Amino acid sequence: MSLRPTLETRRAQPTLEGAGVKLHRAFGFQDPSELDPFLLFDDFRNERPEDFEKGFPWHPHRGIETITYVLSGTVDHADSLGNTGSLGAGDVQWMTAGRGILHQEMPHGNRNGQMHGFQLWGNLPSSQKMTAPRYQDVTAADIPEVTDDDGTIVRVITGEFWGKKGPVDGIAADPQYLDVTIPAGVNKTFHIDTYRRAFAYIFDGSAAFVDAAAPTGVLLEKEVAGQEVNIRDLSGDRTLIRFGSGDEITVQAGEQGVRFLLISGAPINEPVAWHGPIVMNTQQELMQAMRDLRNGTFIQPAH
């Protein structure tokens, strides 16, 4: 077993999106190869309805998948295919845009006016960029949750983990998407297939991700993979941790415990031509998408 080094730790940055939604972006619109197959990750969390209720009005997508995970409040959605629905606390929507879709997402606060959720964009390989759009809406009750003896809780949204399989399937990047809660002071090791790119995103509490390459820090209380390892300073809320190659990560939870997303997927390793919500492989394909939007052929009938 080999421990994945920490390549980068960075804070999500405040950003405005949609019709004026205040959110924090952990990555996106920079180097699409660094977390291939993932392109963008947003944390939309607000206490004031005026900061989010204008939402994300009608906009196009092509060539990607969007994954929306709601923790509190609701998100109403509608699209150009006639689909409508609402995501509540704990629900997930995995939308494959494929050859093209127009949709809108309108967030609403809970009874206290609070809204919290995440959106992740996953790239599609060239062979699937022009497939028919589809949705997978998953309710909170359908997401398996497993608890270990030390109190660690993991919600398995997609992929397999600790004998449970997430309800979302048929995804190009073969991703694993976990919502992990670790009690205060607990050390925990998670296996991640070596071929996957992986990142963690802390959104509650704090933790240190063990890094065998770290020259300074607090000595972990046990050896990992037969070697003593050091941990960096604790990382807290809205922190992204990007991992290098290996097949394990080890986490030491802080004094208040920690909750984070652990996400990994198989890299596509293809060229990326990206403009806003449209991601293709070449500039020619991107220009064709723009022409399709202008001349009304972006949305194609089902075959």
Side-chain angles (χ1 to χ4, degrees), residues 103-274:
H103 78 156
Q104 67 172 355
E105 299 151 303
M106 306 304 289
H108 305 286
N110 59 18
R111 68 179 64 183
N112 297 317
Q114 299 163 331
M115 173 68 209
H116 191 191
F118 306 105
Q119 188 166 92
L120 174 69
W121 290 11
N123 200 4
L124 283 170
S126 57
S127 60
Q128 298 185 32
K129 283 192 177 295
M130 297 300 285
T131 58
R134 70 166 181 151
Y135 284 92
Q136 295 184 66
D137 285 340
V138 180
T139 65
D142 291 330
I143 297 174
E145 186 173 284
V146 288
T147 304
D148 207 4
D149 293 341
D150 59 13
T152 298
I153 302 170
V154 180
R155 300 189 80 216
V156 185
I157 294 168
T158 186
E160 295 188 25
F161 187 78
W162 287 353
K164 298 289 186 178
K165 183 176 175 61
V168 180
D169 61 9
I171 304 303
D174 185 28
Q176 186 180 63
Y177 191 132
L178 308 176
D179 178 352
V180 181
T181 303
I182 304 177
V186 170
N187 295 327
K188 202 72 182 173
T189 297
F190 299 91
H191 177 77
I192 302 174
D193 290 340
T194 305
Y195 70 91
R196 297 172 181 268
R197 296 263 170 79
F199 70 91
Y201 182 77
I202 297 174
F203 60 95
D204 191 23
S206 63
F209 287 81
V210 176
D211 189 345
T216 59
V218 181
L219 189 65
L220 195 67
E221 294 176 357
K222 61 180 181 180
E223 291 187 344
V224 176
Q227 61 181 328
E228 290 184 339
V229 294
N230 293 318
I231 60 174
R232 297 183 186 275
D233 294 337
L234 292 179
S235 296
D237 184 25
R238 292 195 175 108
T239 300
L240 173 80
I241 299 93
R242 186 165 63 93
F243 301 108
S245 60
D247 51 21
E248 285 185 342
I249 67 162
T250 294
V251 188
Q252 179 170 306
E255 293 182 355
Q256 305 301 317
V258 67
R259 187 176 179 187
F260 62 96
L261 303 179
L262 181 58
I263 299 174
S264 61
I268 295 173
N269 294 320
E270 291 182 351
V272 172
W274 186 356

